[in-house]
């Protein structure tokens, strides 16, 4: 069963509200869903899941875009070029294409660093793709992704047509838990908020450089937290540190 998309669309709606006209502000709440099948199409179930989302009144779906899956090796040449031979976009192209075919807009959640994009010295036992992701490389990849899904990039699987336009971009997700970013703590002090701040800034610059109308969304935090030093940083503490509020 698809999961209702909660935190991220809320942030998107808040961002949109600042520039919305009174008529736009009066529109009903935007509904969106996220489902692992949207990205993987395991068992060929994606079309049915997308149809379920559409039938439930959704007009947005969040699709996980794994940086690692697209760029598992260091990218030769220009990393902002979506046609770089080091990238493998096939699976994510299909996801975007299928969503558009069902009349659904896409919100890409871009996360999970490839091994070459992590910082050195990742301790054993931590979730791969989460250790000190390289913000600079992440920003370059974000620009490549935004260029590919700008609405004007040719679809390699459909000559004469372009890949779908994607305006909504989420930088990582639940950055306050060890399953997504590490380290959460260092020397007894919060570490993940500063790591995530660098990622968001680089991601924003990359996505916005392609189109100023793109909307960048900071990842929704996990709603629960542990005492200092635990695996889940309390979201209010994470937010204060992220925004440098002390």
């Amino acid at each position: 069963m698809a999961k209702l998309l909660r935190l991220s669309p809320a942030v998107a709606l808040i961002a949109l509200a600042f520039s919305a006209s009174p008529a736009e502000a009066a529109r009903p709440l935007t509904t969106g869903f996220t489902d692992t099948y949207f990205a993987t199409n395991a068992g060929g179930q994606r079309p049915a899941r997308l149809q379920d989302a559409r039938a439930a009144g959704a007009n947005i779906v969040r699709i996980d875009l794994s940086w690692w899956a697209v760029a598992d090796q260091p990218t030769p040449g220009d990393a902002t070029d979506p046609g770089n031979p080091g990238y493998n976009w096939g699976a994510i192209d299909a996801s975007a294409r299928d969503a558009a075919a069902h009349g659904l807009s896409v919100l890409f959640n871009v996360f999970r660093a490839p091994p070459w994009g992590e910082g050195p010295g990742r301790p054993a036992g931590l979730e791969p793709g989460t250790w000190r992701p390289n913000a600079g490389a992440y920003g370059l990849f974000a620009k490549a992704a935004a260029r590919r899904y700008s609405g004007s990039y040719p679809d390699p699987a459909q000559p004469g047509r372009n890949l779908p336009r994607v305006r909504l971009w989420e930088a990582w997700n639940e950055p306050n838990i060890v399953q997504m970013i590490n380290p959460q703590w260092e020397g007894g002090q919060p570490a993940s908020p500063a790591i995530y701040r660098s990622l968001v800034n680089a991601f924003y610059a990359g996505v916005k450089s392609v189109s100023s109308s793109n909307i960048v969304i900071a990842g929704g935090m996990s709603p629960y937290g542990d005492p200092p030093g635990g695996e889940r940083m309390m979201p209010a503490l994470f937010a204060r540190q992220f925004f440098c509020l002390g």
Side-chain angles (χ1 to χ4, degrees), residues 78-187:
D78 183 4
T80 69
D81 177 6
N84 191 299
Y87 289 138
N88 179 9
W89 300 98
I92 203 69
D93 282 353
S95 295
R97 198 181 296 119
D98 285 356
H102 285 82
L104 293 159
S105 297
V106 171
L107 186 166
F108 274 138
N109 168 38
V110 185
F111 75 123
R112 194 71 67 190
W116 60 267
E118 288 187 282
R122 176 167 61 86
L126 289 183
E127 186 75 20
T130 66
W131 180 256
R132 301 186 184 278
N134 184 306
Y138 183 56
L140 296 177
F141 178 74
K143 183 173 182 177
R147 289 176 66 185
R148 191 171 186 89
Y149 302 105
S150 63
S152 59
Y153 193 85
D155 186 340
Q158 298 181 327
R161 301 184 64 178
N162 294 333
L163 287 165
R165 168 83 164 101
V166 176
R167 289 184 64 233
L168 302 177
W169 298 85
E170 181 179 359
W172 232 266
N173 188 46
E174 297 187 316
N176 60 319
I177 60 176
V178 296
Q179 291 84 353
M180 290 295 171
I181 287 184
N182 284 290
Q184 285 290 311
W185 299 86
E186 193 167 39

